[in-house]
Amino acid sequence: MMKKITEQIQKIRNIGIIAHIDAGKTTVSERILYYTHKIHRMGEVHDGNATMDFMPEEQERGITITAASTNCLWNDFQLNLIDTPGHVDFTIEVERSLQVLDGAIGIFCAVGGVEPQSETVWKQSENLYKPKLAFINKLDRIGADFENVLLSMQEKLQTKPLVLQIPAGQGQDFQGIIDLLTLKQLTFNEENQGETYTLSEPEEELKIEAEIWQEKLIEDLADLDDDFATLYLENTYTIQDIQKSIRKICINRLATPVLMGSALKNTGIQPLLDAVCAYLPSPFDVSPLNTDNYKEEDIQALIFKVLLEKNHRFSLVRIYNGCIKENTTLYNINTNTKERIDQLYKIHADFHEKISQAHAGDLVGIIGLKSSLTGHTLSNNENFPAYEDFHKYKPVISLAFEPKNSEEAEILDLALEKFTLEDPTLLVSIEQGTRLVSGMGELHLAILAERIEREYKISPRTGNPEVILKETIQNATPLQDSYHYHREIGEKLHQGHITITISKNSRNSGNQISFNETILTQLSKYKSLTKEDTKTYLTNFIINILETGFNEKSLVDLNIHIDNLFEEEYTSLLGIQNAIQFCLHKIYNSAIIKTLYPIMKVEINTPDENLGAVMNLLNTCKAKIEQLSEKQKTKYIEALAPMHELFGFATSLRSVSQGRAGLSIQFLQYDTI
């Protein structure tokens, strides 16, 4: 039985599809589902009927907003697939999806190459050590240039492309792909939407080109894999040896296997599926699971998303070890509470299939968890350490929601409770009856407002978006001051006398907090903690003060050093904490304070004839042009601009370019302007 389960896990591929908006992620996903017979009719993004874009907001805009999960079978392999968003406002969806996946497919447009959000999500996957394949899409488009995409991958992604296919023609001449392992041309049948394809010998000129690329592939493998190098020198390698080497190199992230095609023209998807099974890792090939420590009875799982559906809390979970069954109880390691698994489901976009149990490697939905949140760890062992929680992205923009009456206020609060539970990047505060909602961008909050109106049938008034500002100290020399706290609280005297030194840190380096070692020894006795735990406790205390700030803006990029603690008869932890807070405020009032604004990286491609109008529009937004380049009569502009100057920019750009300009805006850093 154990052997059978192990074999099943070895044939699981947990993969995500990542890329820039409009690179073709959802179109590729749709073809994968069609060719694996998960769906019987292909939907299209431009028609608003793609399976994985099931939200009305996604269908109307033709973009992916929420990461959608599904599963399918290909040649006895189980593929658990997540189609992630490409818009920067929904970066958290990519992050938490990648956290629980074992590998990914990066989709790149054959014309646009490595675009800004492609670069962002690729780096996210690199930070999480995820092996990847690359798929060069849209080779049928005018201007397609696969070699330029390879160069762009090397320059922008710092990865070595391992080319496994080349196109048979590009742009209007695109006819299919040539497999470099077999030197056969694959031509996909238009009559049955590419479900079948024929193998043939390439034309002589193409065959010579393919042989050159094949030799380069073999040499790359020999350079990266010592075992294959031995076979290469002895000239004794087979196609199976080549595939084994590609898999080894891919899983160890030494290079990225590259495939290509045109998803919209139903070309290249089946070889991509074969490559997923052949080269991307199973759950046993990557951390934290391997065959040595796998035990069916040891349950370890991570919640990567929580949804509210029909008054049920629906938790999406990745199982890392063991077997989870319905009607059982597990520990939430983060909250130290018990949680009951009432029902288990396989997930296919917005459709759920009930199951009785699931094993390591599975992505499943659970109903029954009462208090568990995104990032929490489940186990049957209360002493199991929690997995690392997801990185928390800080919101950069706020929007005021004002209900029209008390009845609408109650509904609005319910709606916001649901959406903040589902999306950790949304934060809500209430000020004088107005709900101030903070998020990752203009589109993020606009879609939230649409969902509230559509799903809850209310129309709260919304104010103008407000940018979240921060502050920092600009003094060239360090600032030092002391504060002596002496106050009676609850008939008990509390004292604290502290000296603090603050200096400015380099931009976007965060806050660095340090303590005199002698002080840590003194402080530890007031909370009965070790020196290290005392340091952590007070560091978190100071960070909370800085995040709140003293002018409704958080303080950043500071070096803070606790220099002296003067002990007195009634010194207490409460007295010390108050002394720290008042001393920080005292230094703040004497410092040169600068406001920091969110600065956005703006990238635009526009036809040459619209360049003047686009540049004028950028000037009105106080943009700083960083780079201007040209490729095939299209101008590419890179600029920096403060976020508050970019409200409505996308609409204005469409107007001045007659809808012909492409735009990407992503947060870069906080800085002065």
Side-chain angles (χ1 to χ4, degrees):
M1 180 66 178
M2 180 63 71
K3 181 181 178 182
K4 182 179 179 182
I5 293 171
T6 302
E7 289 173 351
Q8 289 174 350
I9 295 172
Q10 287 172 334
K11 288 203 166 187
I12 291 176
R13 297 293 182 267
N14 288 314
I15 58 171
I17 297 188
I18 58 174
H20 185 87
I21 188 171
D22 201 34
K25 297 182 306 301
T26 302
T27 305
V28 170
S29 298
E30 203 73 11
R31 270 61 184 172
I32 288 174
L33 295 178
Y34 181 74
Y35 297 134
T36 59
H37 303 131
K38 187 71 180 185
I39 59 176
H40 302 292
R41 185 180 67 84
M42 284 187 283
E44 302 292 356
V45 173
H46 53 265
D47 291 333
N49 60 0
T51 306
M52 303 295 274
D53 285 349
F54 53 83
M55 290 173 57
E57 291 77 16
E58 293 175 314
Q59 294 166 352
E60 289 168 8
R61 285 179 165 83
I63 63 171
T64 301
I65 293 169
T66 183
S69 177
T70 188
N71 64 87
C72 54
L73 293 173
W74 181 253
N75 293 340
D76 294 328
F77 283 80
Q78 179 183 322
L79 310 184
N80 296 322
L81 172 70
I82 295 183
D83 176 23
T84 66
H87 196 285
V88 67
D89 283 16
F90 308 101
T91 298
I92 185 64
E93 287 284 316
V94 182
E95 180 91 2
R96 58 187 175 187
S97 298
L98 285 171
Q99 188 92 5
V100 297
L101 294 171
D102 301 323
I105 304 170
I107 309 292
F108 302 102
C109 173
V111 179
V114 178
E115 296 168 286
Q117 187 63 5
S118 294
E119 192 173 350
T120 299
V121 296
W122 190 275
K123 288 177 180 176
Q124 281 179 281
S125 70
E126 282 295 289
N127 291 337
L128 293 166
Y129 309 105
K130 304 298 180 182
K132 292 172 289 293
L133 303 176
F135 182 75
I136 300 176
N137 192 26
K138 303 186 179 183
L139 278 163
D140 60 308
R141 286 184 57 181
I142 296 173
D145 185 344
F146 86 96
E147 291 189 64
N148 188 59
V149 180
L150 298 176
L151 183 63
S152 184
M153 288 177 64
Q154 289 176 295
E155 292 176 349
K156 295 185 178 181
L157 306 180
Q158 286 78 54
T159 188
K160 182 179 181 62
L162 207 59
V163 182
L164 307 186
Q165 301 169 344
I166 62 168
Q170 298 186 80
Q172 292 176 322
D173 298 327
F174 179 64
Q175 298 174 351
I177 54 178
I178 299 174
D179 176 54
L180 296 183
L181 274 65
T182 62
L183 294 180
K184 296 293 185 182
Q185 179 169 330
L186 285 67
T187 305
F188 291 78
N189 191 338
E190 295 181 8
E191 294 180 2
N192 61 7
Q193 296 183 291
E195 189 160 8
T196 60
Y197 56 87
T198 57
L199 295 174
S200 61
E201 293 291 328
E203 295 179 1
E204 188 62 29
E205 189 175 333
L206 273 174
K207 186 172 184 179
I208 293 171
E209 182 184 356
E211 287 172 345
I212 294 171
W213 279 99
Q214 184 192 57
E215 185 58 32
K216 184 181 185 310
L217 170 63
I218 301 301
E219 290 174 356
D220 286 342
L221 295 180
D223 287 340
L224 295 167
D225 180 1
D226 290 342
D227 293 332
F228 184 79
T230 302
L231 299 174
Y232 174 67
L233 293 172
E234 296 172 352
N235 197 27
T236 58
Y237 58 86
T238 64
I239 286 182
Q240 289 72 30
D241 293 323
I242 294 173
Q243 291 174 320
K244 182 180 178 181
S245 181
I246 294 169
R247 177 176 175 78
K248 178 180 176 181
I249 289 168
C250 178
I251 290 176
N252 288 299
R253 299 170 42 252
L254 302 175
T256 303
V258 179
L259 299 99
M260 46 198 72
S262 170
L264 192 62
K265 296 296 183 182
N266 308 315
T267 298
I269 302 302
Q270 294 93 326
L272 176 63
L273 286 168
D274 291 337
V276 166
C277 300
Y279 307 131
L280 286 180
S282 78
F284 280 139
D285 295 315
V286 290
S287 179
L289 185 63
N290 60 58
T291 50
D292 296 330
N293 65 18
Y294 176 70
K295 293 180 181 178
E296 187 78 356
E297 64 273 14
D298 290 344
I299 298 172
Q300 299 159 16
L302 180 66
I303 300 168
F304 65 95
K305 191 171 182 178
V306 177
L307 305 169
L308 285 180
E309 296 185 351
K310 300 176 182 177
N311 299 320
H312 289 294
R313 186 183 287 230
F314 193 75
S315 303
L316 304 187
V317 176
R318 161 70 192 263
I319 305 174
Y320 284 108
N321 206 10
C323 173
I324 292 181
K325 299 179 180 180
E326 63 180 350
N327 300 320
T328 57
T329 299
L330 296 175
Y331 291 100
N332 181 317
I333 303 300
N334 300 77
T335 61
N336 196 29
T337 57
K338 291 182 178 181
E339 289 277 33
R340 182 170 173 78
I341 314 297
D342 289 339
Q343 296 172 11
L344 278 170
Y345 293 89
K346 272 190 176 181
I347 312 156
H348 174 52
D350 56 343
F351 173 76
H352 309 144
E353 176 189 348
K354 197 171 184 302
I355 56 177
S356 60
Q357 63 182 31
H359 297 272
D362 287 337
L363 305 180
V364 296
I366 295 178
I367 287 181
L369 307 182
K370 303 298 183 187
S371 58
S372 296
L373 300 175
T374 298
H376 285 185
T377 299
L378 300 175
S379 178
N380 59 346
N381 180 353
E382 58 185 319
N383 297 316
F384 180 75
Y387 288 117
E388 185 178 351
D389 202 348
F390 299 122
H391 174 68
K392 297 297 188 297
Y393 288 85
K394 301 295 183 183
V396 296
I397 185 172
S398 297
L399 185 66
F401 287 78
E402 187 178 340
K404 296 173 183 174
N405 50 52
S406 58
E407 181 182 351
E408 190 171 277
E410 290 182 12
I411 298 172
L412 178 60
D413 288 341
L414 285 173
L416 293 176
E417 181 183 1
K418 171 190 173 178
F419 293 127
T420 52
L421 174 68
E422 294 181 355
D423 185 350
T425 59
L426 286 171
L427 299 178
V428 178
S429 61
I430 300 178
E431 299 175 9
Q432 299 177 340
T434 297
R435 281 71 177 162
L436 193 66
V437 184
S438 303
M440 297 299 295
E442 211 175 348
L443 180 63
H444 193 195
L445 296 180
I447 286 173
L448 172 68
E450 288 180 21
R451 291 191 65 186
I452 288 173
E453 184 172 353
R454 178 176 58 81
E455 295 177 27
Y456 289 87
K457 313 301 181 189
I458 59 172
S459 303
R461 291 182 288 269
T462 56
N464 293 322
E466 294 183 8
V467 169
I468 297 174
L469 306 178
K470 297 183 178 182
E471 291 183 330
T472 193
I473 287 175
Q474 286 292 93
N475 299 67
T477 57
L479 302 171
Q480 186 180 81
D481 215 325
S482 298
Y483 192 89
H484 185 200
Y485 183 84
H486 182 102
R487 188 170 299 174
E488 189 175 296
I489 302 174
E491 300 182 355
K492 186 177 180 180
L493 186 62
H494 292 271
Q495 290 180 316
H497 192 177
I498 206 88
T499 301
I500 299 177
T501 302
I502 297 182
S503 60
K504 69 176 183 178
N505 208 349
S506 56
R507 183 71 69 242
N508 297 298
S509 57
N511 294 315
Q512 307 295 323
I513 300 166
S514 59
F515 300 84
N516 182 307
E517 284 297 318
T518 305
I519 291 174
L520 287 176
T521 303
Q522 291 174 276
L523 288 169
S524 61
K525 67 185 180 183
Y526 293 107
K527 198 167 171 57
S528 301
L529 295 173
T530 64
K531 282 172 46 174
E532 195 60 37
D533 288 343
T534 300
K535 181 179 179 180
T536 301
Y537 176 82
L538 281 174
T539 297
N540 291 334
F541 173 74
I542 294 170
I543 287 172
N544 287 335
I545 295 172
L546 298 176
E547 287 184 346
T548 304
F550 300 111
N551 188 29
E552 296 183 350
K553 302 180 185 75
S554 59
L555 284 160
V556 296
D557 299 338
L558 306 178
N559 287 310
I560 298 174
H561 185 68
I562 309 299
D563 277 311
N564 292 302
L565 168 65
F566 304 96
E567 292 191 272
E568 300 172 288
E569 182 179 358
Y570 295 102
T571 297
S572 66
L573 182 62
L574 180 60
I576 293 167
Q577 288 176 324
N578 281 316
I580 290 172
Q581 183 156 3
F582 282 112
C583 190
L584 289 171
H585 199 179
K586 191 177 176 183
I587 295 174
Y588 171 86
N589 286 333
S590 65
I592 301 170
I593 302 296
K594 287 288 186 180
T595 300
L596 301 177
Y597 300 82
I599 305 298
M600 312 302 285
K601 183 178 181 181
V602 182
E603 298 201 4
I604 299 170
N605 60 77
T606 181
D608 194 28
E609 57 266 31
N610 299 121
L611 179 63
V614 172
M615 295 293 278
N616 288 335
L617 182 61
L618 284 168
N619 287 334
T620 66
C621 299
K622 300 180 181 177
K624 177 185 176 184
I625 307 300
E626 295 281 289
Q627 186 175 335
L628 178 62
S629 58
E630 183 176 7
K631 177 186 168 187
Q632 296 178 342
K633 297 183 180 180
T634 298
K635 298 291 187 184
Y636 291 84
I637 307 164
E638 294 183 16
L640 304 180
M643 185 179 198
H644 63 274
E645 296 287 350
L646 294 172
F647 292 149
F649 181 82
T651 302
S652 300
L653 180 66
R654 279 196 297 271
S655 176
V656 301
S657 68
Q658 292 82 49
R660 300 172 69 194
L663 172 67
S664 168
I665 300 176
Q666 63 180 6
F667 172 74
L668 180 65
Q669 63 185 26
Y670 271 89
D671 211 338
T672 55
I673 58 173

